[in-house]
């Protein structure tokens, strides 16, 4: 917002304005402009109460506008992706820095799940997504900077997690939701390829299948993505969507199937999501991490096979309007952006031109 006022000075600084004219001698008077001996000077003119009230109102108006300019930047909440942390200087820390440099005075909260950065990273793999959402809802409710509303920006799995926040926790209100590479219809990789993708590309400090983390993931996946033990202890399984096992997915997915209304309609979820001003979804056009990439635009595979995909408008989620996405689309609230590059690969210039306008 452009503020037409310069920065304020010290509190109580006077506001300059027209001053009353100094008293002048009356022409032709006996004194000729000189005070007669023994007579006191006339009292100085008294500014009428109406003038004082007008000046006071003007001062308050100017101060109010200045304060309005300072408070105009809507706070921003950021949620990182898997294996990242709130404050990594080359990822979320850098995003926070460039947003603050382009929007002076903005309050940016980069979410940390846990007591330290190591816990934050580990929780992105092993803390139940529903528990993470509850933790974040609690953080947001206690933050006084957010009570008037906030924008949110989620990276990869942080995108669908923030959507869950929007659906489940309407106070404080989320205004705009920006999902950068979020998998809103879930992620699917055939099991024989899953370990390779997760261990080689997904896990930091995971050099290969000999890693203890990867060994643990292998054992969990061998049990089956939709078993209770895997669902409760492996975050990525909680948004695993197997198009070949739709019934298992709808019945046993403890996170994604719930927020996507797969087991019934929660009208509160629908109402809360529709309260967004804008829901921005960014798809990476050369994504090799997300399968299928169209999930980043709320599309997915046709049920029963894993080759042909369909866009959001052809899904039952849209045609039945279980989440209100059809109504939001007709109201111009859904924004679909594409960017060249692999998963989470984008330039500063693209970020400034494509994303920043939704934060201002």
């Amino acid at each position: 917002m452009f503020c037409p006022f310069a920065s304020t000075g010290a509190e109580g600084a006077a506001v300059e304005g027209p001053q009353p004219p100094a008293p002048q001698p009356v022409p032709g008077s006996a004194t000729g402009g000189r005070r007669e001996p023994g007579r006191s000077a006339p009292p100085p003119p008294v500014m009428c109460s109406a003038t004082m009230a007008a000046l006071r109102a003007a001062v308050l108006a100017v101060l109010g506008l200045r304060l309005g300019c300072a408070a105009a930047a809507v706070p921003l909440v950021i949620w990182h992706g898997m294996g990242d942390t709130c404050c990594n200087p080359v990822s979320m820390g850098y995003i926070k820095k460039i947003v603050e440099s382009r929007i002076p005075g903005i309050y940016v909260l980069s979410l940390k799940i846990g007591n330290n950065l190591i816990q934050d990273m580990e929780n992105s793999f092993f803390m139940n997504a529903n528990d993470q959402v509850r933790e974040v809802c609690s953080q947001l409710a206690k933050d006084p900077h957010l009570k008037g509303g906030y924008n949110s920006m989620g990276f990869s799995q942080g995108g669908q997690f923030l959507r869950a926040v929007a659906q489940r926790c309407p106070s404080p209100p989320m205004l705009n939701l920006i999902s950068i590479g979020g998998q809103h219809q879930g992620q699917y990789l055939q099991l024989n390829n899953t370990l390779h993708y997760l261990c080689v590309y997904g896990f930091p400090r995971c050099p290969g299948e000999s890693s203890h983390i990867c060994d643990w993931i292998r054992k969990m996946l061998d049990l089956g993505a939709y078993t209770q033990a895997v669902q409760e202890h492996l975050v990525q399984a909680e948004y695993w969507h197997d198009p070949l096992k739709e019934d298992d997915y709808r019945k046993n997915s403890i996170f994604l199937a719930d927020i996507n209304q797969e087991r019934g309609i929660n009208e509160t979820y629908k109402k809360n999501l529709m309260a967004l001003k804008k829901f921005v979804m960014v798809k990476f056009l050369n994504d090799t991490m997300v399968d299928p990439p169209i999930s980043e635009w709320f599309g997915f595979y046709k049920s029963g096979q894993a080759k042909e995909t369909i866009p959001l408008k052809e899904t039952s989620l849209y045609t039945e309007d279980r989440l209100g996405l059809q109504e939001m689309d007709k109201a111009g609230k859904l924004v679909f952006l594409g960017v060249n590059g692999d998963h989470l690969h984008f330039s500063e210039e693209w970020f400034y031109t494509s994303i920043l306008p939704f934060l201002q």
Side-chain angles (χ1 to χ4, degrees), residues 226-296:
Y226 295 123
T227 61
Q228 182 177 356
V230 175
Q231 283 288 307
E232 291 182 353
H233 297 99
L234 180 60
V235 170
Q236 289 67 39
E238 294 167 34
Y239 56 85
W240 188 280
H241 187 174
D242 189 337
L244 306 179
K245 299 179 179 179
E246 288 284 359
D247 289 341
D248 287 346
Y249 157 68
R250 292 189 181 96
K251 181 180 178 180
N252 298 309
S253 170
I254 66 172
F255 175 72
L256 187 69
D258 176 68
I259 64 170
N260 281 5
Q261 309 271 48
E262 300 283 8
R263 293 187 284 264
I265 306 300
N266 183 326
E267 292 294 340
T268 299
Y269 281 8
K270 184 175 180 178
K271 176 184 175 182
N272 290 343
L273 188 65
M274 290 174 62
L276 290 171
K277 293 182 178 180
K278 294 289 183 182
F279 179 9
V280 182
M281 288 170 271
V282 176
K283 174 187 171 185
F284 291 90
L285 302 179
N286 310 106
D287 204 319
T288 61
M289 280 292 298
V290 173
D291 180 21
I294 201 171
S295 179
E296 298 170 349

Side-chain angles (χ1 to χ4, degrees), residues 288-309:
T288 61
M289 280 292 298
V290 173
D291 180 21
I294 201 171
S295 179
E296 298 170 349
W297 280 351
F298 242 120
F300 202 61
Y301 288 115
K302 275 188 175 181
S303 182
Q305 50 85 53
K307 292 183 179 180
E308 185 180 354
T309 61

Side-chain angles (χ1 to χ4, degrees), residues 11 63 85 91 102 122 148 159 172 219 223 230 232 302 353:
E11 184 177 354
L63 288 176
T85 69
S91 59
R102 289 300 181 108
E122 291 176 343
K219 292 177 182 178
L223 292 175
V230 175
E232 291 182 353
K302 275 188 175 181
T353 58

Side-chain angles (χ1 to χ4, degrees), residues 40-335:
S40 61
V46 178
M47 190 174 292
C48 68
S49 60
T51 303
M52 291 293 291
L55 283 174
R56 181 174 181 274
V59 170
L60 291 176
V62 170
L63 288 176
L65 285 171
R66 286 171 172 167
L67 291 174
C69 289
V74 176
L76 174 63
V77 173
I78 298 173
W79 199 333
H80 62 78
M82 107 177 148
D84 203 356
T85 69
C86 66
C87 312
N88 187 329
V90 298
S91 59
M92 296 302 98
Y94 187 70
I95 292 294
K96 181 176 185 290
K97 179 180 178 181
I98 63 176
V99 169
E100 290 172 339
S101 70
R102 289 300 181 108
I103 309 177
I106 189 173
Y107 172 74
V108 180
L109 171 63
S110 188
L111 293 167
K112 180 175 68 174
I113 314 299
N115 296 323
N116 52 57
L117 298 185
I118 294 177
Q119 287 185 8
D120 189 23
M121 184 272 289
E122 291 176 343
N123 286 336
S124 72
F125 296 116
F126 306 124
M127 182 178 179
N128 188 305
N130 295 300
D131 293 338
Q132 292 191 55
V133 170
R134 277 191 288 270
E135 165 63 22
V136 166
C137 288
S138 177
Q139 287 187 36
L140 303 184
K142 295 175 182 177
D143 193 326
H145 296 92
L146 307 178
K147 62 182 180 180
Y150 64 97
N151 293 324
S152 67
M153 182 162 55
F155 292 82
S156 197
Q157 69 183 24
Q160 57 262 36
F161 292 173
L162 280 171
R163 176 163 64 86
V165 171
Q167 294 175 206
R168 295 174 177 176
C169 307
S171 181
M174 186 184 296
L175 305 180
N176 293 322
L177 169 57
I178 303 171
S179 169
I180 301 181
Q183 304 98 50
H184 293 280
Q185 282 276 27
Q187 166 85 342
Y188 173 69
L189 293 170
Q190 296 181 27
L191 285 179
N192 60 344
N193 292 330
T194 298
L195 189 62
H196 172 76
Y197 271 80
L198 290 180
C199 291
V200 176
Y201 297 110
F203 290 91
R205 300 183 302 172
C206 187
E209 296 189 11
S210 61
S211 162
H212 293 300
I213 293 179
C214 293
D215 287 340
W216 188 87
I217 293 295
R218 181 193 292 108
K219 292 177 182 178
M220 296 295 280
L221 291 177
D222 284 343
L223 292 175
Y226 295 123
T227 61
Q228 182 177 356
V230 175
Q231 283 288 307
E232 291 182 353
H233 297 99
L234 180 60
V235 170
Q236 289 67 39
E238 294 167 34
Y239 56 85
W240 188 280
H241 187 174
D242 189 337
L244 306 179
K245 299 179 179 179
E246 288 284 359
D247 289 341
D248 287 346
Y249 157 68
R250 292 189 181 96
K251 181 180 178 180
N252 298 309
S253 170
I254 66 172
F255 175 72
L256 187 69
D258 176 68
I259 64 170
N260 281 5
Q261 309 271 48
E262 300 283 8
R263 293 187 284 264
I265 306 300
N266 183 326
E267 292 294 340
T268 299
Y269 281 8
K270 184 175 180 178
K271 176 184 175 182
N272 290 343
L273 188 65
M274 290 174 62
L276 290 171
K277 293 182 178 180
K278 294 289 183 182
F279 179 9
V280 182
M281 288 170 271
V282 176
K283 174 187 171 185
F284 291 90
L285 302 179
N286 310 106
D287 204 319
T288 61
M289 280 292 298
V290 173
D291 180 21
I294 201 171
S295 179
E296 298 170 349
W297 280 351
F298 242 120
F300 202 61
Y301 288 115
K302 275 188 175 181
S303 182
Q305 50 85 53
K307 292 183 179 180
E308 185 180 354
T309 61
I310 55 175
L312 168 63
K313 290 185 178 182
E314 296 180 21
T315 65
S316 60
L317 181 66
Y318 185 92
T319 57
E320 298 171 5
D321 210 17
R322 299 198 303 263
L323 268 178
L325 294 172
Q326 183 181 139
E327 191 168 339
M328 292 176 71
D329 189 23
K330 292 177 179 178
K333 290 187 174 185
L334 300 185
V335 179

